[in-house]
């Protein structure tokens, strides 16, 4: 049984905060391109970015399964062996949904560091049909697996919320 780190168990490093801010900046760039304001990157143990992705799940040309976290994890899995990903971190502007947490699990990425919590995101998106939120914390999803995923977040929520300002039809 996996044990996802409880809130407060691990403290973020300055490196964590730097890459989380990069994910938040990428989420703003996604918004500027007319996409949903989410983004993620996967970083190896040496601090090298393996993959960066903005969200591409928005109609009409977007695929609703193409969340930034899922596509960043998939790209990392295509470029690195599983043993390398065990020490990698997925940095994401918002708490990964159940699908994206599953992608992190299946690709073997060992850590998640996220900005905006799902609960805070729901207050920003309201009932917008383009983002029907799921009140299922990533820690609960990760706790159901056999592999341990360290999870740190929410962090920098005010900064992570900024790209969502004025975007959603609440």
């Amino acid at each position: 049984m996996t044990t996802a780190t409880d809130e407060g168990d691990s403290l973020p490093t300055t490196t964590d905060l730097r890459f989380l801010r990069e994910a938040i900046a990428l989420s703003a760039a996604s918004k500027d391109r007319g996409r949903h304001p989410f983004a993620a990157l996967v970083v190896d143990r040496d601090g090298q970015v393996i993959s960066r992705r903005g969200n591409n799940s928005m109609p009409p040309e977007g695929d609703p399964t193409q969340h930034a976290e899922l596509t960043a994890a998939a790209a990392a899995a295509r470029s690195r062996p599983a043993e390398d990903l065990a020490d990698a971190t997925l940095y994401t502007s918002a708490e990964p949904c159940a699908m994206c947490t599953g992608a992190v699990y299946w690709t073997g990425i060992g850590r998640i560091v996220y900005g905006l919590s799902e609960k805070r995101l729901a207050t920003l998106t309201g009932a917008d049909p383009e983002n029907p939120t799921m009140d299922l914390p990533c820690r609960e999803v990760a706790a159901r697996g056999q592999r341990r995923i360290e999870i740190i977040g929410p962090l920098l929520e005010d900064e992570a919320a900024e790209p969502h300002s004025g975007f959603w039809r609440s």
Side-chain angles (χ1 to χ4, degrees):
M1 182 71 108
T2 198
T3 53
T5 303
D6 291 332
E7 289 180 82
D9 280 3
S10 295
L11 295 175
T13 66
T14 55
T15 299
D16 287 334
L17 296 176
R18 179 171 54 91
F19 283 120
L20 183 55
R21 283 189 168 104
E22 183 174 340
I24 293 166
L26 287 169
S27 75
S30 287
K31 177 183 177 180
D32 291 346
R33 287 192 323 274
R35 314 310 291 163
H36 290 158
F38 300 101
L41 53 142
V42 178
V43 178
D44 72 14
R45 74 175 137 256
D46 298 322
Q48 298 300 310
V49 176
I50 301 170
S51 62
R52 285 181 182 86
R53 294 293 187 274
N55 190 285
N56 192 36
S57 65
M58 195 169 146
E61 70 275 1
D63 174 338
T65 66
Q66 296 303 291
H67 291 189
E69 299 90 346
L70 184 147
T71 59
R78 287 190 301 273
S79 69
R80 298 286 179 93
E83 57 271 9
D84 287 357
L85 295 180
D87 294 324
T89 301
L90 176 105
Y91 293 94
T92 177
S93 60
E95 183 171 2
C97 71
M99 175 181 69
C100 292
T101 303
V104 169
Y105 176 81
W106 290 112
T107 58
I109 294 169
R111 292 177 78 228
I112 296 171
V113 176
Y114 70 90
L116 196 59
S117 70
E118 182 65 27
K119 290 208 181 297
R120 176 91 181 263
L121 176 62
T123 68
L124 300 171
T125 62
D128 192 308
E130 288 187 7
N131 195 53
T133 61
M134 287 180 112
D135 188 11
L136 180 57
C138 64
R139 284 178 176 83
E140 287 185 34
V141 175
R144 305 294 183 194
Q146 295 177 321
R147 196 177 312 124
R148 183 180 189 283
I149 300 172
E150 179 184 14
I151 298 173
I152 301 173
L155 301 169
L156 309 174
E157 280 199 280
D158 290 340
E159 289 179 44
E162 186 55 38
H164 296 268
S165 179
F167 185 84
W168 304 102
R169 297 172 290 168
S170 303

